Amino acid sequence: MPDFSQLPSVEKLTAALEAGCPLPRPLITGFIQHELAAWRERLTDGREAGREEITASIRAGLLGFAASRLQPVVNATGVLIHTNLGRSPMGARGAEALQAIATGYSNLEFDLPGGQRGKRAAYLETALAVLLESEAATAVNNCAAALVLTLRHLIAGGKTEVIVSRGELVEIGGGFRIPDVLETSGATLREVGATNKTHLKDYAEAISDRTALILKVHRSNFTLSGFTSEPPVPELATLAREHQLPLVEDLGSGAVMATDDLAPIDHEPTPQEALRNGIDLVVFSGDKLLGGPQAGIIAGKRDLVAGIKAEPFYRAVRCDKLILTTLQECIDDYLQARGGDPPELPVLTFMATPVDDLRARAAAIIENLPGHSAALTVVEATSRTGGGTMPHAEIPSIAIAIDPRDRSLDDLAAALRTGSPAVVGYTQDDRLLLDLRTVFPHQDEALTSALQAALGA
Ligand SMILES: *Cc1c(COP(=O)(O)O)cnc(C)c1O
């Protein structure tokens, strides 16, 4: 007979663990009940454990569960658009506007001068079209939705084939693969060319009376180099026009500004350039290089955008008022930026921060951390754009390198991740690196306190 006497009661454990735990009581109690049941089984299976061990294990589990609540994180990875850390932080203006719209009523679908029902997102759509130099534009939940919606709209009757180069059958991440997206949309994939080379005649030969559109997919998360070629977009656009086929491009990464003006990195194709080259419709993400909220932006020919908006499925993937608010502020930020300066959006600001600024901040943080046994140094590091954008781009950066000396790296990294605020860095050459390029200057103080606590100083 197993010894269940070591199992604390739910009530006693709840009382003991409740203090300092940010979770609502029913979740704490539920978690404890679940864990106690697991321990009862373990004891039945012959495991031996005392009350202290059981309590400590449940406490650790509860803290882990509490840490899974969505909370702010200091991103010290140097990856600007970190998919696991929420991609792009929005600008301050977006956050302010969000506060006002989210906590009150708004003219979401109300024409204030006329006093009657108005069009949703009418202002945003006009602003987007002006920024993107397109005839029309709209926004939905994310780029994946924008692509599925566009494909669903453009395949009709017996025309279901979508021509895509074999060099562009991309997997974006999280299982998002272009062939699967096509299938989900009811389209049939017509692959052309080879992985490294696709010629104009490959596209031309694939066109039939079953063709619905030609799709280009930006290789946003990998590069193809060496013996490669693809037809220039203007030539592909001429071919598409001759056959009255729409030419669509999934740009994904969504740099609206010339990224090579901000940092010593490659030029990322912009939607404006794509449309100028003859693409009829572009789709891209709102929360990658654009620096806005999660959204999928669709821009291009007026009749195509209007047709997409008339799809019943559009309703299922349209943006809510919170996204429309922050996207509206983000697009206005771009339109109001002057003299080629980037708008004040964190991703762009981070990209353009001079290394010397980062170096000075790193030194100041280390200076404010006396009395610990770890070795802290300022080192050169490499930031990346990440999040399925510019795989080649390496932005010179500065990091604080920590050699914990009398404890393991994993232990220190875990202490920082579960500290307040949570800090996420990366390990390299037996040191923990905290890249300052992706840390907001206003977070330096909090980062210093978090380090102080984790280093036990
Ligand atoms: C990131 C990306 C997507 C998916 O965008 P979401 O906004 O995450 O849906 C689609 N296509 C390309 C080329 C991308 O880079």
Side-chain angles (χ1 to χ4, degrees):
M1 187 60 197
D3 178 12
F4 287 150
S5 69
Q6 294 303 326
L7 287 177
S9 74
V10 176
E11 294 72 29
K12 282 216 173 108
L13 258 185
T14 305
L17 301 184
E18 204 173 22
C21 178
L23 300 183
R25 196 148 202 259
L27 285 180
I28 298 177
T29 314
F31 185 88
I32 289 171
Q33 279 166 338
H34 180 267
E35 288 296 298
L36 285 176
W39 271 108
R40 204 166 284 124
E41 257 178 47
R42 273 174 225 145
L43 296 176
T44 307
D45 289 346
R47 171 93 144 78
E48 283 175 27
R51 178 167 296 209
E52 247 170 56
E53 182 191 345
I54 294 173
T55 306
S57 120
I58 296 179
R59 183 193 303 274
L62 187 65
L63 288 177
F65 177 45
S68 70
R69 285 186 91 241
L70 205 51
Q71 57 169 311
V73 165
V74 175
N75 174 9
T77 64
V79 179
L80 271 70
I81 302 165
H82 198 302
T83 306
N84 304 143
L85 302 182
R87 284 200 188 159
S88 289
M90 73 172 69
R93 250 179 68 160
E96 268 166 43
L98 188 57
Q99 162 79 16
I101 298 287
T103 57
Y105 296 100
S106 63
N107 60 341
L108 181 65
E109 289 182 7
F110 190 67
D111 166 19
L112 286 170
Q116 55 196 342
R117 199 196 152 123
K119 278 204 196 114
R120 196 183 168 95
Y123 173 82
L124 170 67
E125 290 181 346
T126 304
L128 266 174
V130 169
L131 176 66
L132 302 174
E133 300 163 28
S134 62
E135 288 179 14
T138 190
V140 294
N141 267 333
N142 51 37
C143 185
L147 186 56
V148 172
L149 181 62
T150 300
L151 293 171
R152 281 176 68 110
H153 173 63
L154 292 178
I155 58 174
K159 292 180 189 279
T160 60
E161 278 188 9
V162 179
I163 301 176
V164 189
S165 159
R166 289 200 170 88
E168 298 177 3
L169 293 174
V170 180
E171 170 170 325
I172 307 303
F176 181 86
R177 289 182 167 167
I178 291 299
D180 301 337
V181 173
L182 286 178
E183 200 177 313
T184 306
S185 320
T188 322
L189 172 63
R190 180 76 168 85
E191 305 175 26
V192 295
T195 304
N196 57 330
K197 285 198 173 212
T198 303
H199 304 291
L200 190 64
K201 74 170 180 355
D202 296 324
Y203 283 100
E205 283 165 9
I207 295 174
S208 74
D209 53 10
R210 292 181 305 277
T211 309
L213 67 137
I214 299 176
L215 176 67
K216 275 194 69 65
V217 183
H218 177 48
R219 285 185 284 268
S220 54
N221 58 2
F222 73 105
T223 52
L224 203 58
S225 63
F227 188 54
T228 64
S229 77
E230 59 185 25
V233 174
E235 286 179 25
L236 193 56
T238 305
L239 177 72
R241 217 171 304 122
E242 278 166 13
H243 293 270
Q244 295 181 344
L245 291 172
L247 178 60
V248 175
E249 180 160 21
D250 174 7
L251 265 182
S253 43
V256 166
M257 288 198 58
T259 43
D260 41 339
D261 286 350
L262 299 176
I265 51 177
D266 286 346
H267 180 77
E268 183 75 358
T270 65
Q272 297 94 311
E273 287 159 3
L275 295 170
R276 234 176 274 145
N277 280 335
I279 300 280
D280 296 308
L281 215 49
V282 285
V283 299
F284 61 94
S285 285
D287 56 347
K288 289 186 182 169
L289 290 170
L290 181 72
Q294 179 188 300
I297 292 158
I298 306 173
K301 291 269 152 53
R302 193 182 315 281
D303 55 335
L304 293 178
V305 174
I308 285 170
K309 288 190 65 186
E311 287 282 329
F313 188 60
Y314 178 82
R315 172 70 195 244
V317 293
R318 71 180 187 181
C319 297
D320 82 325
K321 63 184 177 185
L322 308 183
I323 296 297
L324 292 175
T325 303
T326 51
L327 192 55
Q328 168 179 291
E329 298 306 318
C330 170
I331 301 306
D332 275 5
D333 276 336
Y334 275 96
L335 292 171
Q336 287 169 351
R338 290 271 169 259
D341 282 345
E344 281 179 36
L345 295 166
V347 171
L348 303 179
T349 309
F350 287 158
M351 206 180 277
T353 308
V355 166
D356 286 343
D357 292 10
L358 302 177
R359 201 189 309 273
R361 285 170 51 201
I365 291 172
I366 293 178
E367 205 161 295
N368 285 324
L369 282 169
H372 55 78
S373 58
L376 275 66
T377 42
V378 180
V379 297
E380 291 182 355
T382 305
S383 297
R384 294 174 195 285
T385 51
T389 63
M390 299 193 282
H392 260 342
E394 295 190 342
I395 310 176
S397 189
I398 291 294
I400 297 172
I402 310 171
D403 174 357
R405 287 214 182 112
D406 54 5
R407 68 201 279 201
S408 79
L409 264 187
D410 286 350
D411 190 39
L412 174 65
L416 279 167
R417 286 196 310 271
T418 52
S420 176
V423 177
V424 180
Y426 64 101
T427 53
Q428 192 178 66
D429 303 332
D430 294 324
R431 288 183 302 185
L432 179 68
L433 261 61
L434 303 177
D435 188 323
L436 287 190
R437 183 169 295 283
T438 45
V439 177
F440 291 85
H442 70 76
Q443 290 178 322
D444 283 2
E445 215 169 297
L447 174 59
T448 310
S449 323
L451 271 169
Q452 187 117 7
L455 292 170

